Amino acid sequence: MGDTNGQVVAGGNSQGNRLDQLNWPADVLIDKETDSLIVCDRNNRRVVRWSRRSGTTQGEILINNITCWGLAMDGQRYLYIADTNKHEVRRYQIGDKNGTIVAGGNGESAGFNQLNSPYYTFVDQEQTVYVSDRDNHRVMKWNKGAKEGIVVAGGQGQGNALTQLSYPQGLFVDTLGTIYVADSWNNRVMRWPKEAKQGTVIVGGNALILLVTALHRPLSTEQYIDLLYEHWHTLNLLDVFQYGIQCSDELIFLNLL
């Protein structure tokens, strides 16, 4: 805390495909067992691992030829990766190059056994996979070993009603099965209790929303604010913003007004 400058921990050597470079990293998680970062290096179509130990100058490729967007890891260190081109989520054991399909994989469409541009994933303790099925405007739940998923949020077409979502992205599921989802084009975060037919807006609705999970992004609230400010300022999308914060043990919501 108190640092005015960040530290590059992966990439930082311009855009490219060398092992010391990244190209549009879309997601990252921490593998505590190996003290490393696992990065979805989207435009290089690979997932790479970067050690957090000092002196690290390049990453290593874990998985190649995958158009990844979202990453998750379960308690047994299985890696779950959403592939937006193949419209599927695969589970990988570290070191496995092929993986096993756990959601989608039956073409691009809206069937219960299909996905359409899956973005982010969440995996619970029972290895149930939740997927923000972005272009189907829904969140899907795939129980372990299931051949098709269950719509647990949205799925009523694109829109802004409480029964609808519009290009959902980041999501989190608490221990009660309540789903929190960033409803990106509706500029809101919604909460869907287990088996609910509609959600409730808990943040936004008329604002730009970023949903981050304290479990997967182990930073302090102040660090989130600093990073968020730097991000938007760099893109020149917002010169000045105000924020409202709601915190719990599991989630941090940032509401940009």
Side-chain angles (χ1 to χ4, degrees), residues 33 58 87 98 110 118 163 168 171 175 181 191 195 198 209 232 242:
E33 186 164 315
Q58 65 181 36
H87 309 286
N98 298 315
T163 58
L171 77 159
T175 54
V181 56
R191 176 174 56 212
E195 299 182 357
Q198 67 179 35
I209 301 300
W232 288 114
Q242 296 175 314

Side-chain angles (χ1 to χ4, degrees), residues 68-83:
C68 57
W69 192 280
L71 301 170
M73 181 177 281
D74 67 20
Q76 300 178 39
R77 294 187 65 243
Y78 282 96
L79 189 62
Y80 297 75
I81 306 175
D83 188 325

Side-chain angles (χ1 to χ4, degrees), residues 39-50:
V39 183
C40 172
D41 189 10
R42 177 174 172 78
N43 279 7
N44 281 326
R45 304 191 68 245
R46 66 190 185 189
V47 175
V48 293
R49 178 166 59 191
W50 285 68

Side-chain angles (χ1 to χ4, degrees), residues 53-253:
R53 297 180 178 91
S54 62
T56 299
T57 59
Q58 65 181 36
E60 61 174 315
I61 298 172
L62 294 180
I63 301 163
N64 241 329
N65 301 314
I66 182 169
T67 312
C68 57
W69 192 280
L71 301 170
M73 181 177 281
D74 67 20
Q76 300 178 39
R77 294 187 65 243
Y78 282 96
L79 189 62
Y80 297 75
I81 306 175
D83 188 325
T84 56
N85 278 14
K86 293 182 179 178
H87 309 286
E88 65 186 23
V89 178
R90 286 184 182 249
R91 180 179 63 225
Y92 297 83
Q93 197 165 17
I94 299 297
D96 177 14
K97 302 294 185 182
N98 298 315
T100 302
I101 296 174
V102 294
N106 294 295
E108 172 190 356
S109 195
F112 292 133
N113 67 342
Q114 296 174 306
L115 299 169
N116 188 351
S117 294
Y119 264 41
Y120 292 99
T121 64
F122 181 90
V123 183
D124 68 14
Q125 294 180 346
E126 298 177 349
Q127 295 185 322
T128 302
V129 179
Y130 295 81
V131 186
S132 55
D133 190 8
R134 182 183 182 272
D135 289 1
N136 281 329
H137 312 291
R138 66 189 185 184
V139 175
M140 298 292 289
K141 173 183 176 181
W142 292 67
N143 292 312
K144 184 178 180 180
K147 299 300 182 183
E148 63 180 33
I150 304 165
V151 179
V152 290
Q156 302 297 318
Q158 181 182 7
N160 61 7
L162 294 179
T163 58
Q164 296 176 304
L165 297 169
S166 184
Y167 298 105
Q169 298 201 32
L171 77 159
F172 178 86
V173 184
D174 68 18
T175 54
L176 298 177
T178 302
I179 297 164
Y180 300 83
V181 56
D183 189 9
S184 65
W185 281 33
N186 283 327
N187 305 307
R188 63 191 185 186
V189 174
M190 296 195 71
R191 176 174 56 212
W192 292 68
K194 189 175 182 179
E195 299 182 357
K197 299 301 182 183
Q198 67 179 35
T200 56
V201 178
I202 58 173
V203 184
N206 297 300
L208 180 63
I209 301 300
L210 175 65
L211 167 63
V212 291
T213 69
L215 292 179
H216 291 168
R217 308 288 189 272
L219 303 176
S220 69
T221 300
E222 290 81 4
Q223 286 173 308
Y224 283 121
I225 295 168
D226 290 343
L227 288 172
L228 194 61
Y229 176 80
E230 180 179 356
H231 174 66
W232 288 114
H233 182 73
T234 300
L235 293 179
N236 293 319
L237 294 178
L238 295 174
D239 292 328
V240 178
F241 66 86
Q242 296 175 314
Y243 58 84
I245 305 174
Q246 299 179 22
C247 298
S248 71
D249 290 338
E250 295 178 320
L251 295 172
I252 296 174
F253 299 107

